[in-house]
Amino acid sequence: MRFEMVGRTPWLLIPVGVFFAGQADAQEVSVDNEVELRAALETADEDVQLTQLEWNVRVDSELSPSIAARISGRLRVDGSDRLDPGKPDQSNRSSLNRRHLLGEAGEIELREAFIDLNFEPVSIRLGKQQIVWGQADGLKVLDIVNPQSFREFILEDFDASRIPLWSAKAEVQLGPVDVQVFWIPDHSFHDIPEQGAAFELTSSRFLPPVGPDDAPIVLDDARPSGLKDDFGGQLSLLAGGWDLTFNLLRHHADRPVFSVTAEGGNTIASRVYDRQMTLGGSFAKALGEFVIRGEIGYAWGRAINVTQAANDVDRIVEADALSYVVAVDWRSSDTFISAQFFQDRLIDAGPGLLRPRNDEYATFYLRQTLLRDTLEVDFKSLVNFDDGDVLLRPRLLYDITPSIQLSLAADLFFGKPDGVFGQFEEQSRVSLAMIARF
Amino acid sequence: MPTDQAHNRAEAFFDMVLRRPVVTLAAAALFVVAMGTQLTGLTKDTSIDAFLAPDSPTRIYRDQVREVFGLEDAVVIAVTGEGADGIFTPEGLDFVRDLSDQVGMIAGVDPERVTSLSTEKNIYANGEEIVIERFLENATADAASARAVRDAVYRIPLYQGLLVSNDGRGTLIAAEIIDGDRAETIYQEIRNIAAVTPDGIEVHIAGEGAAQGYLAAYIDADAKVLQPIAFLAILLVIGVAFRTLFAVIASIAVIAVTLTGALGSMAALGIPYFAITGALPVILIGISIVDAVHILSVYYSKSARHAGEGKRQIILQTMVEIWRPVFLTTLTTIAGFAAITATATMPPMQYFALFAMVGLVLALLASLTVLPCLLLVYRRHDSPVAERRAERDPQSAGWLPSLGHNMAQRHIASLAVLAVLVTGFGLQANQLSVDRKLMSNFRAEEPIRVADEVINRGFAGSNYIDIVVESREPEGILNPQSLQRIEALQRYAEGLPHVEKSIAITDYLKLMNRSLSGDDPYAYQLPQSHEKAAQYMLLYSASADPSDFEDEIDVEFQKALVRVHMTTDRFSEFAPAVENLRTYIAEEFADDLNANLSGRVTLAHDWIAPLGINHALSVAASLLAVTLVSMLVFRSFTLGILTIVPVALTLLSIYGVMAMTDIWLEPATFMFAAIALGLGVDFPIHMIDRMQYWREQGLTFFQAIERLYEGPARALFINCVAIAAGFSLLMLSTLPTINRFGLLTAVALVSGFVTSILFLPAMVRMLRPRRLFPSELARPNAVASGALSGNAALVFAVTVGIAAWPSTALAQTLSDGDTVAARMEARAEGATLRQTLIMTMSNSRGTTRTRRAELVRLKQNGVRRTMIRFLAPGNIRGTSFLTFDYEARDKADDQWIFLPALRRERRISANDRGDYFFSTDFTYEDIKDATKFDPADYRFVTLRAEKLGQRDTLVVSLLPQSPEISRELGYGRVQAWIDPSSWMPLRADYWDVAGNRLKTVRITSFRRVSGIWTPLRIEAANHKTGHKTVFSFSQIDYSADIGTSQLSVRALKNAL
């Protein structure tokens, strides 16, 4: 019953948002609405991929000088219903963190609901929130505290695709060091598109391993049991102009691996959210006109799928994994250029891997603002070296007024059908969106 | 059909050529020998004068100055000593005297005009008498007398920095060169003489005369190394590409005709070999083989596919098929160079382009006649590469054809990617600046560059502006008013950036006045009457050599020369001085006294200043010429435009790269654009011509594309590699400017090739020109979009030209600038501050946007922490900016920005303090400095007191402390009206680095809040863009309880 209440809260937010939009006093309560209308057309077959209305409402309130709260929700209605066809089962999410489905084409979700308690030098944030780590853009090494929705693969902004979790976070300043610790009892994982979705993962690196006998695999929908809470901490400091963090996270991996077993003549693949420990750190430093930044993470005993393992019954082996990103940025008043290199290496993994032993990506990002910040031209490209795949994302963003924005963008995938980007070559698209904020 | 007629005529022509191959070859050999003999007559002219047309006013005036004052370029020798006495020891001074004597004896040096401690004279009083004698009359007996010499020299202010160093340890010997052609030899001879020095004595040789000599030696050394290497590298590429000996022999033949023809005709016409001509042979070697590669490529391919046919027939077919694109590309390249010849004002550049054109015509002729004849007389042979390609299954076409196919197939996506990339780089292009530094022609470790640094550091500088002041009447200079105005001019000049010292007759008159007043230090001033001045001159001529003053004043006392010494030879640094002096003399010397600028620096200024506009013109003219020629030859407007688009886009990107990597536009880089354009346009022309040919043969568009990528694309690739290799070899040159020229041209060529290969088919498919898609009408918008790129290049180029000239402050030195600086700096700003800030930004059309932000500031423990958090409107809400500004000068600021879409902070560089803050008209520095001007950044000079509205203000000129700071801030100078009661700058006018009026900032409302003077409304009007920004402050609270945790990265992230 209680869950029902929580689930329905966003409904209430919409009229509240509209009502307060013009009236809220910024000092105490501020209400922000963002409405986006977006249509996307696939370039290969000119099919409509998306015709979506998205309404985000956010209410911030300063209850007292040391107590503040935020509640935000999102309504989505997608006429095409190709990204989340039908009614997703949401078994990846904890019962407290599920979206409320409005028929097949709509959904409503409580995005954030937290209270901030600031008592110098300690601050505490309790409730549904996002905890963001790391220095990389569009690539994840340390930004793994919250799971993510892959509804549009990685095309959505991380802020929108990250799945906020019910958690408790405390931060304290100890001399030059900021200490952060948190506890996450919310056992939710990545939203992975189901079969038939436009961005269904079809590359073999994401799928359950197929045996040599090619026996049909039945996917077990049941939510894994025995899940434990995540917890972690971060130390951050500014030393000699270097922004440094040291991070430690005990958690379940958000992307499932598949335990493949034979049961009564069937081959069953069940999801496993591997429990692991990740230790890492990040840095950033301005050097003249450039900024260098990076992050590194080491995970012990990461579970990975293999085609066939010698002493193994479920096609899962464990290996340590080291991943890192290094990046360099250059910026002027109107221009931002950034290049990143990412590597995820499996240490001591045996044969039969479904993914490359060293998975490597490079990204390039160029953003140019024009006409006094009213027009933004940006271009992102991601390259995966193992598959030789490419994702190119040119975009134009124009402020018609300070509150209305127009976006014209293309997301173009190139590569092999089994590649990380090539699997979506048919999903390459151009999209047009209008965003209103009030 | 006209095509058939042309075909038949071409066949008839080549048939005729091939009928008498031996005659053609003999004629070519004779030509090579005849032109080769001319090469011995080639002369060199490495002087800077060469860059100004002989009839340019600056050069004419300078020649007159030379005549009147007898000034020639000098070799400057700095002699420095290590010990406490420096060179003022018996050994040191004897060495200086011997060195001066020996230098005077070198042929080509004017012995009368060697200036050193041993030639210059001491002037002092002996009772009523004035005594004038050489400092080093005799050998120096002991340490005491050496020190006495030092004391005597340093007693005379005008010698400091000129004759002796500022630190008391060194001296200069200047030797004027009367025979410029011997500059190189003279430099070497001085080096030999100065090779052996007494212990602890060092000798450095610099000066314009030395630089010329050095440059000449450099060019010789370069030519000896570069040309053979370029030659071998290009032959190597060809050898590898075709794997036949013949291809190498044929290339040598074509290169021989081209090189000897172009350079031989230069020699025959008496055109000297200028500094930049050094690049010409390498360029000629590169471009001469382009046509040969295409011809050989088609020939070998035909020969491999039609093994049964006769050699003569294959050659004939080859020539008939290929002559047209070969001819067209030569024509367009010539058009590019012709445009340089027509628009360049500097003779070396005009000649460079002219003889490149001669080379191009010869290369074309040699390729169309000598090459087929050579093929005919040489034994029948095949290229193993072509054979392998012929044997290959056409279905298994390589990656190149499938790439071409794919790019054309996905033409919209391809062009979108291209558009975004070009826009990104192209937008950087307007940052491109024109600059030059003579010494950057030499590598950092070269002795001459080291010497130049020594002289500019320890002395008054080896670069100078000469100002000739002329009176209407004879003896007019000796009027007290004239002398005072000359002195004022000197003081003004000395206040300009990088000016170390000035010297004029006034300095000598003051010295004599002092000497005749019993060496009273207070008498170091100008004589008060004409008579007195005239007497001094007479007295001097009675006691010493009257010609001693010929450098400073003419014999009729009607013209005086003020020599202004500068410590920089960099254009952007000396240009403000030249321009300010011109403005000053135009205002102050427009009556019975007039003045003109001359001298080395002025000369350099006047030929570099128009470089930007010349460059814009030459690129625009080349673009236009090449486009027109292409339109004519293809008889299609759209195809004409298409040929130029890839290379124009590439150029725009290269300009962007230049701006981003701080490569200046200078004489050497000046020409890369037009050359790259002329050569780079070959790629699209060949591609379009072939597409047209195959479309006429009935192939579909995509079949034509595949054929294109099977054959001609490969030939283009070989050409691109060969020429780019040739240009890359310029990076081996010992001249850094030639290195940059080589690099830029090579990069431009390769990117032109890549752009054409990757994107031209997509463009063709998009625009569907009628000649390639005969069934359709070409879409009109095709033309418009193509023309737009050309315009963009032109507009940008003109902008660069206009935006390039710096001119900074005119600052009258009054006394209390430092006080103003200190008072302003000391103005209270409160330890903490919280305020609301409304930013209203409007553009020239009156469209207004408003943003609301909260500003929180805390000054604690030597750190000023400021956070600005945007509250409205929605598209920026939540964006926050945090800066830590450290009091410690050597510690760079730390800055972060929080972007809600990322939900994390992003570290940003604090180097860009001159960048505009969130599209307002305030820079990051303006925001940070909070209506103060940092004395570490600016030199304050109070100009006058002035009423601003009802308020009394001090008008203060603020000059950035260094060019680096000026560039960082984005301001060349600032003039501020400061209210002396609050020490608030009520108005500040800003000029950009190029000297253009930039913006005016006014504090239109301010009051005391909690005892602290606080602005309530600040208005900034940008004069360049017409934009205006108003900052209004409210809810100002200086007592807010703010701790460091509220101004931390954590707070930045957690803010709601």
Side-chain angles (χ1 to χ4, degrees):
Chain A
M1 197 59 205
R2 212 163 43 96
F3 159 65
E4 281 294 299
M5 287 289 290
V6 174
R8 285 182 193 284
T9 312
W11 272 113
L12 301 172
L13 277 172
I14 299 284
V16 169
V18 176
F19 181 73
F20 279 111
Q23 303 179 18
D25 180 351
Q27 283 301 303
E28 287 152 14
V29 179
S30 77
V31 181
D32 294 284
N33 289 278
E34 185 183 292
V35 180
E36 183 195 78
L37 275 169
R38 187 151 62 107
L41 198 68
E42 288 176 354
T43 52
D45 47 14
E46 297 182 5
D47 271 0
V48 177
Q49 190 183 84
L50 180 80
T51 43
Q52 176 174 276
L53 165 82
E54 184 177 303
W55 191 318
N56 284 283
V57 186
R58 192 178 67 205
V59 181
D60 290 334
S61 169
E62 266 186 46
L63 304 170
S64 81
S66 50
I67 303 176
R70 165 178 290 177
I71 184 160
S72 69
R74 175 166 72 192
L75 164 77
R76 262 180 182 163
V77 181
D78 174 11
S80 314
D81 194 29
R82 290 189 51 209
L83 301 183
D84 261 337
K87 291 191 167 188
D89 81 335
Q90 301 201 60
S91 60
N92 60 310
R93 300 236 195 162
S94 71
S95 57
L96 275 174
N97 199 348
R98 291 189 179 163
R99 297 165 283 165
H100 184 82
L101 304 178
L102 307 170
E104 296 201 335
E107 64 174 47
I108 198 154
E109 183 178 8
L110 176 71
R111 293 287 293 159
E112 290 167 300
F114 59 77
I115 187 158
D116 271 353
L117 309 169
N118 290 302
F119 301 103
E120 287 295 332
V122 179
S123 58
I124 294 170
R125 181 170 283 185
L126 297 172
K128 195 175 188 196
Q129 59 182 300
Q130 296 187 20
I131 297 172
V132 185
W133 276 0
Q135 288 285 356
D137 292 338
L139 296 167
K140 295 195 167 207
V141 172
L142 292 177
D143 185 10
I144 50 173
V145 181
N146 289 73
Q148 193 189 344
S149 162
F150 287 87
R151 181 176 180 261
E152 293 182 64
F153 190 49
I154 54 164
L155 302 180
E156 248 187 314
D157 276 350
F158 278 176
D159 186 48
S161 67
R162 219 179 271 120
I163 301 170
L165 298 175
W166 292 97
S167 18
K169 179 180 81 171
E171 285 169 317
V172 60
Q173 192 183 343
L174 298 176
V177 181
D178 272 323
V179 181
Q180 178 194 70
V181 288
F182 54 78
W183 165 59
I184 306 176
D186 181 347
H187 307 152
S188 296
F189 308 99
H190 287 338
D191 283 348
I192 309 251
E194 294 180 359
Q195 212 169 10
F199 289 99
E200 174 194 354
L201 301 173
T202 55
S203 164
S204 57
R205 58 160 73 196
F206 299 112
L207 295 180
V210 181
D213 50 352
D214 273 344
I217 289 185
V218 181
L219 220 63
D220 178 10
D221 283 342
R223 185 175 161 82
S225 56
L227 296 169
K228 295 178 182 157
D229 296 350
D230 290 356
F231 47 86
Q234 172 179 268
L235 302 182
S236 47
L237 74 159
L238 171 66
W242 291 85
D243 288 326
L244 300 173
T245 72
F246 302 95
N247 310 60
L248 184 69
L249 183 66
R250 180 73 175 147
H251 62 133
H252 286 284
D254 289 315
R255 202 180 101 195
V257 286
F258 297 92
S259 159
V260 180
T261 47
E263 264 178 46
N266 280 334
T267 309
I268 309 281
S270 359
R271 283 173 296 168
V272 173
Y273 297 105
D274 173 48
R275 184 77 174 160
Q276 57 186 247
M277 172 88 95
T278 301
L279 176 70
S282 71
F283 69 89
K285 161 103 174 142
L287 292 174
E289 293 182 345
F290 295 90
V291 170
I292 52 164
R293 55 191 168 80
E295 55 185 87
I296 186 163
Y298 191 90
W300 280 272
R302 186 198 288 179
I304 34 176
N305 276 127
V306 285
T307 46
Q308 195 83 63
N311 325 314
D312 197 272
V313 283
D314 59 358
R315 309 256 178 97
I316 294 179
V317 293
E318 287 202 340
D320 291 356
L322 174 77
S323 38
Y324 64 90
V325 177
V326 282
V328 59
D329 304 336
W330 180 87
R331 191 185 68 97
S332 72
S333 295
D334 304 321
T335 311
F336 178 76
I337 299 174
S338 162
Q340 304 185 113
F341 175 77
F342 168 91
Q343 191 183 52
D344 182 32
R345 311 175 61 112
L346 294 178
I347 317 272
D348 294 336
L353 296 179
L354 291 167
R355 52 153 281 180
R357 198 169 296 273
N358 293 331
D359 206 10
E360 290 171 337
Y361 294 81
T363 75
F364 172 77
Y365 179 40
L366 173 110
R367 186 185 66 224
Q368 179 77 38
T369 52
L370 300 153
L371 310 175
R372 265 202 147 182
D373 275 2
T374 49
L375 178 64
E376 182 180 312
V377 183
D378 63 32
F379 174 72
K380 282 181 193 149
S381 68
L382 284 95
V383 181
N384 177 285
F385 292 110
D386 307 288
D387 296 333
D389 281 18
V390 181
L391 168 59
L392 301 179
R393 309 188 63 193
R395 182 174 73 150
L396 286 173
L397 206 58
Y398 179 63
D399 289 355
I400 303 173
T401 71
S403 53
I404 300 180
Q405 216 170 24
L406 205 63
S407 148
L408 176 64
D411 304 300
L412 308 167
F413 295 90
F414 300 89
K416 295 183 284 199
D418 196 42
V420 65
F421 299 127
Q423 61 179 327
F424 301 121
E425 196 162 273
E426 298 292 305
Q427 276 68 41
S428 291
R429 65 187 189 181
V430 287
S431 61
L432 181 68
M434 194 168 82
I435 304 131
R437 297 184 180 89
F438 54 93
Chain B
M1 259 171 74
T3 325
D4 288 341
Q5 273 176 25
H7 212 79
N8 294 338
R9 273 207 298 271
E11 198 169 340
F13 171 79
F14 290 112
D15 191 50
M16 185 191 78
V17 169
L18 291 173
R19 218 170 290 156
R20 291 191 180 81
V22 181
V23 176
T24 309
L25 293 176
L30 201 63
F31 175 82
V32 170
V33 172
M35 296 313 276
T37 55
Q38 296 294 319
L39 290 176
T40 49
L42 209 53
T43 55
K44 263 188 296 186
D45 182 357
T46 55
S47 70
I48 302 299
D49 291 5
F51 284 90
L52 281 172
D55 56 351
S56 82
T58 316
R59 193 161 158 187
I60 291 173
Y61 192 73
R62 196 190 95 115
D63 291 343
Q64 285 174 6
V65 171
R66 267 184 176 166
E67 217 166 278
V68 174
F69 297 101
L71 300 171
E72 293 289 346
D73 288 328
V75 175
V76 180
I77 309 161
V79 185
T80 56
E82 279 172 7
D85 290 326
I87 49 106
F88 293 98
T89 59
E91 305 77 48
L93 291 177
D94 288 346
F95 176 72
V96 170
R97 187 181 25 243
D98 292 349
L99 187 57
S100 310
D101 292 348
Q102 290 182 47
V103 167
M105 283 186 279
I106 297 173
V109 170
D110 185 348
E112 298 295 312
R113 301 186 66 91
V114 174
T115 316
S116 80
L117 271 177
S118 69
T119 65
E120 289 307 279
K121 290 163 188 163
N122 188 8
I123 303 174
Y124 62 98
N126 186 359
E128 292 295 301
E129 253 184 285
I130 186 166
V131 179
I132 300 161
E133 61 182 28
R134 287 176 198 273
F135 287 111
L136 300 182
E137 204 70 62
N138 304 306
T140 321
D142 51 29
S145 49
R147 283 192 201 116
V149 170
R150 181 180 61 192
D151 296 343
V153 181
Y154 281 90
R155 226 172 39 82
I156 300 175
L158 63 88
Y159 289 140
Q160 282 175 35
L162 293 181
L163 186 59
V164 287
S165 70
N166 297 327
D167 67 357
R169 289 176 174 180
T171 184
L172 289 185
I173 302 169
E176 286 183 17
I177 295 177
I178 38 177
D179 182 359
D181 294 340
R182 280 188 47 82
E184 182 185 346
T185 328
I186 292 170
Y187 174 73
Q188 288 305 343
E189 285 186 30
I190 296 179
R191 283 194 69 168
N192 294 340
I193 296 171
V196 183
T197 59
D199 283 348
I201 301 277
E202 267 186 39
V203 173
H204 298 279
I205 309 161
E208 181 66 30
Q212 280 189 29
Y214 218 97
L215 206 55
Y218 255 53
I219 291 172
D220 262 1
D222 245 24
K224 280 186 196 127
V225 176
L226 278 188
Q227 289 163 17
I229 293 185
F231 187 65
L232 289 177
I234 286 174
L235 293 183
L236 188 72
V237 173
I238 290 176
V240 170
F242 293 109
R243 301 216 199 116
T244 65
L245 179 65
F246 178 80
V248 177
I249 296 172
S251 304
I252 295 175
V254 174
I255 291 171
V257 171
T258 311
L259 265 190
T260 54
L263 297 180
S265 55
M266 226 171 117
L269 293 170
I271 309 296
Y273 197 85
F274 302 102
I276 57 164
T277 319
L280 186 62
V282 179
I283 290 167
L284 286 178
I285 292 174
I287 56 182
S288 58
I289 52 102
V290 169
D291 299 338
V293 168
H294 279 287
I295 294 170
L296 288 175
S297 177
V298 174
Y299 170 79
Y300 284 132
S301 157
K302 282 190 187 297
S303 174
R305 283 172 207 269
H306 311 287
E309 267 181 53
K311 186 165 69 170
R312 190 175 192 281
Q313 193 53 33
I314 294 174
I315 299 173
L316 199 59
Q317 281 173 9
T318 302
M319 297 314 292
V320 168
E321 184 181 325
I322 199 73
W323 77 272
R324 195 179 125 98
V326 162
F327 180 71
L328 296 187
T329 50
T330 308
L331 210 58
T332 47
T333 313
I334 286 177
F337 281 113
I340 301 186
T341 317
T343 52
T345 52
M346 291 173 221
M349 295 188 184
Q350 290 170 338
Y351 289 126
F352 186 101
L354 188 68
F355 288 98
M357 274 157 55
V358 171
L360 271 165
V361 173
L362 289 172
L364 176 73
L365 281 176
S367 305
L368 294 185
T369 57
V370 177
L371 183 58
C373 292
L374 272 178
L375 268 174
L376 192 63
V377 298
Y378 196 78
R379 63 178 171 80
R380 168 104 193 219
H381 67 287
D382 280 311
S383 155
V385 181
E387 278 178 330
R388 255 206 322 279
R389 295 171 64 79
E391 285 160 11
R392 196 190 290 165
D393 175 10
Q395 296 306 315
S396 72
W399 60 275
L400 204 55
S402 77
L403 174 78
H405 190 100
N406 281 338
M407 295 304 281
Q409 190 93 45
R410 305 183 133 224
H411 65 296
I412 304 278
S414 311
L415 294 179
V417 170
L418 177 70
V420 172
L421 288 176
V422 169
T423 312
F425 284 114
L427 287 168
Q428 300 299 324
N430 61 5
Q431 307 288 326
L432 191 62
S433 62
V434 172
D435 213 337
R436 180 177 188 268
K437 184 168 160 59
L438 175 64
M439 278 300 140
S440 71
N441 272 317
F442 304 107
R443 283 176 299 187
E445 68 278 11
E446 288 291 344
I448 192 160
R449 202 157 153 183
V450 175
D452 191 70
E453 277 159 21
V454 167
I455 291 170
N456 286 322
R457 205 170 48 232
F459 297 85
S462 56
N463 311 285
Y464 50 85
I465 300 173
D466 287 334
I467 310 171
V468 180
V469 180
E470 195 171 348
S471 155
R472 281 198 195 146
E473 308 290 330
E475 299 228 348
I477 293 294
L478 298 184
N479 282 335
Q481 297 83 1
S482 307
L483 291 172
Q484 275 158 18
R485 284 165 69 185
I486 292 174
E487 199 187 15
L489 169 66
Q490 286 182 270
R491 293 297 84 78
Y492 174 76
E494 285 165 9
L496 294 169
H498 301 288
V499 171
E500 193 66 24
K501 194 174 181 80
S502 71
I503 189 95
I505 188 67
T506 49
D507 297 296
Y508 289 94
L509 287 170
K510 286 195 282 187
L511 183 64
M512 284 192 272
N513 198 41
R514 183 177 80 178
S515 304
L516 287 168
S517 312
D519 276 341
D520 172 10
Y522 292 102
Y524 190 74
Q525 47 181 273
L526 288 169
Q528 295 302 314
S529 67
H530 181 277
E531 290 70 30
K532 223 171 174 181
Q535 274 173 23
Y536 288 173
M537 297 303 291
L538 192 68
L539 207 60
Y540 188 97
S541 60
S543 327
D545 184 354
S547 70
D548 280 356
F549 289 137
E550 68 178 13
D551 288 2
E552 283 79 25
I553 193 161
D554 71 333
V555 287
E556 297 189 306
F557 304 147
Q558 198 172 354
K559 289 178 187 164
L561 185 105
V562 180
R563 180 162 276 197
V564 177
H565 285 261
M566 302 194 70
T567 52
T568 179
D569 65 343
R570 182 171 170 175
F571 172 75
S572 59
E573 291 173 348
F574 64 62
V578 173
E579 284 149 21
N580 282 322
L581 279 170
R582 281 221 163 107
T583 314
Y584 184 90
I585 60 175
E587 286 169 3
E588 303 290 331
F589 287 83
D591 42 22
D592 53 330
L593 275 190
N594 65 50
N596 274 297
L597 293 198
S598 181
R600 185 50 58 198
V601 166
T602 313
L603 219 61
H605 173 270
D606 289 359
W607 73 263
I608 301 169
L611 209 60
I613 200 78
N614 279 343
H615 182 74
L617 273 176
S618 83
V619 170
S622 299
L623 274 173
L624 195 69
V626 174
T627 315
L628 286 177
V629 170
S630 313
M631 281 175 184
L632 283 174
V633 295
F634 286 123
R635 297 201 197 114
S636 156
F637 191 79
T638 318
L639 289 181
I641 297 284
L642 271 176
T643 50
I644 203 71
V645 168
V647 68
L649 295 183
T650 309
L651 276 186
L652 205 58
S653 309
I654 298 283
Y655 286 133
V657 171
M658 279 174 78
M660 283 162 69
T661 49
D662 284 339
I663 296 183
W664 312 318
L665 199 59
E666 58 177 329
T669 45
F670 176 92
M671 292 180 306
F672 97 90
I675 292 169
L677 202 146
L679 290 173
V681 79
D682 289 6
F683 305 128
I685 287 184
H686 272 284
M687 289 171 71
I688 290 174
D689 186 78
R690 293 289 85 188
M691 276 192 237
Q692 195 174 352
Y693 177 79
W694 282 312
R695 290 287 276 151
E696 279 165 10
Q697 306 288 313
L699 266 61
T700 68
F701 173 69
F702 282 105
Q703 285 168 338
I705 293 287
E706 274 166 27
R707 283 287 287 276
L708 180 69
Y709 282 81
E710 277 165 26
R714 189 175 175 275
L716 291 175
F717 177 70
I718 298 172
N719 271 336
C720 172
V721 172
I723 309 176
F727 277 101
S728 307
L729 284 168
L730 292 180
M731 286 192 281
L732 295 177
S733 164
T734 38
L735 288 164
T737 43
I738 299 276
N739 300 158
R740 289 191 286 271
F741 168 72
L743 175 72
L744 286 175
T745 314
V747 172
L749 268 172
V750 173
S751 4
F753 170 76
V754 173
T755 313
S756 306
I757 286 287
L758 288 185
F759 300 107
L760 190 67
M763 289 180 200
V764 168
R765 194 176 159 211
M766 175 112 164
L767 299 185
R768 306 180 81 79
R770 212 178 336 178
R771 291 226 147 231
L772 295 182
F773 294 87
S775 57
E776 295 180 37
L777 284 177
R779 295 177 192 173
N781 64 352
V783 172
S785 70
L788 205 65
S789 332
N791 283 343
L794 179 64
V795 168
F796 131 74
V798 172
T799 319
V800 169
I802 294 167
W805 320 139
S807 86
T808 31
L810 48 119
Q812 203 82 345
T813 315
L814 297 181
S815 58
D816 55 349
D818 292 342
T819 316
V820 175
R823 296 298 294 266
M824 203 172 189
E825 179 74 355
R827 198 184 75 216
E829 54 181 83
T832 64
L833 168 66
R834 186 191 292 276
Q835 61 184 5
T836 300
L837 163 61
I838 308 276
M839 307 175 187
T840 310
M841 290 130 67
S842 47
N843 63 15
S844 50
R845 295 191 305 278
T847 316
T848 301
R849 286 191 299 153
T850 304
R851 289 170 174 176
R852 190 157 52 85
E854 183 187 48
L855 185 148
V856 185
R857 175 175 294 155
L858 169 70
K859 222 174 157 182
Q860 200 180 65
N861 302 332
V863 189
R864 177 156 60 179
R865 299 168 175 232
T866 310
M867 190 191 289
I868 295 178
R869 210 154 60 82
F870 287 91
L871 305 171
N875 60 352
I876 197 168
R877 183 179 148 73
T879 302
S880 308
F881 168 74
L882 174 68
T883 174
F884 290 0
D885 170 21
Y886 300 97
E887 231 162 53
R889 288 262 153 250
D890 52 341
K891 197 167 176 188
D893 295 356
D894 289 314
Q895 290 185 348
W896 301 265
I897 189 166
F898 175 80
L899 300 166
L902 285 182
R903 209 175 270 254
R904 70 168 175 78
E905 83 288 358
R906 184 188 279 291
R907 182 60 178 262
I908 55 174
S909 152
N911 227 30
D912 318 314
R913 51 194 186 134
D915 284 351
Y916 287 105
F917 179 78
F918 286 90
S919 289
T920 64
D921 295 295
F922 295 95
T923 62
Y924 281 86
E925 183 69 18
D926 295 341
I927 299 278
K928 198 185 76 184
D929 256 0
T931 64
K932 287 185 174 179
F933 295 99
D934 191 338
D937 286 338
Y938 295 100
R939 208 146 33 94
F940 285 60
V941 180
T942 311
L943 299 176
R944 58 185 180 271
E946 194 175 283
K947 278 233 183 248
L948 186 69
Q950 296 303 311
R951 286 182 178 273
D952 289 319
T953 61
L954 291 173
V955 184
V956 176
S957 160
L958 298 137
L959 282 176
Q961 294 279 14
S962 70
E964 288 71 37
I965 292 179
S966 170
R967 270 193 298 277
E968 278 176 24
L969 296 169
Y971 304 139
R973 70 179 172 106
V974 183
Q975 183 160 313
W977 282 255
I978 295 170
D979 171 28
S981 58
S982 60
W983 298 104
M984 290 284 261
L986 300 188
R987 172 180 167 178
D989 286 352
Y990 294 77
W991 281 260
D992 67 13
V993 183
N996 304 305
R997 197 150 174 255
L998 178 63
K999 64 177 179 183
T1000 299
V1001 175
R1002 286 189 177 84
I1003 298 182
T1004 52
S1005 169
F1006 69 108
R1007 67 178 164 86
R1008 266 179 200 266
V1009 178
S1010 310
I1012 295 166
W1013 286 109
T1014 309
L1016 302 177
R1017 190 171 186 278
I1018 310 179
E1019 230 179 70
N1022 189 317
H1023 305 300
K1024 277 186 175 171
T1025 57
H1027 291 173
K1028 211 171 136 181
T1029 303
V1030 178
F1031 276 14
S1032 305
F1033 302 94
S1034 58
Q1035 296 173 308
I1036 298 156
D1037 182 1
Y1038 283 108
S1039 56
D1041 179 21
I1042 299 165
T1044 50
S1045 63
Q1046 282 162 277
L1047 288 164
S1048 63
V1049 176
R1050 166 156 70 105
L1052 195 69
K1053 280 193 285 198
N1054 283 345
L1056 285 189

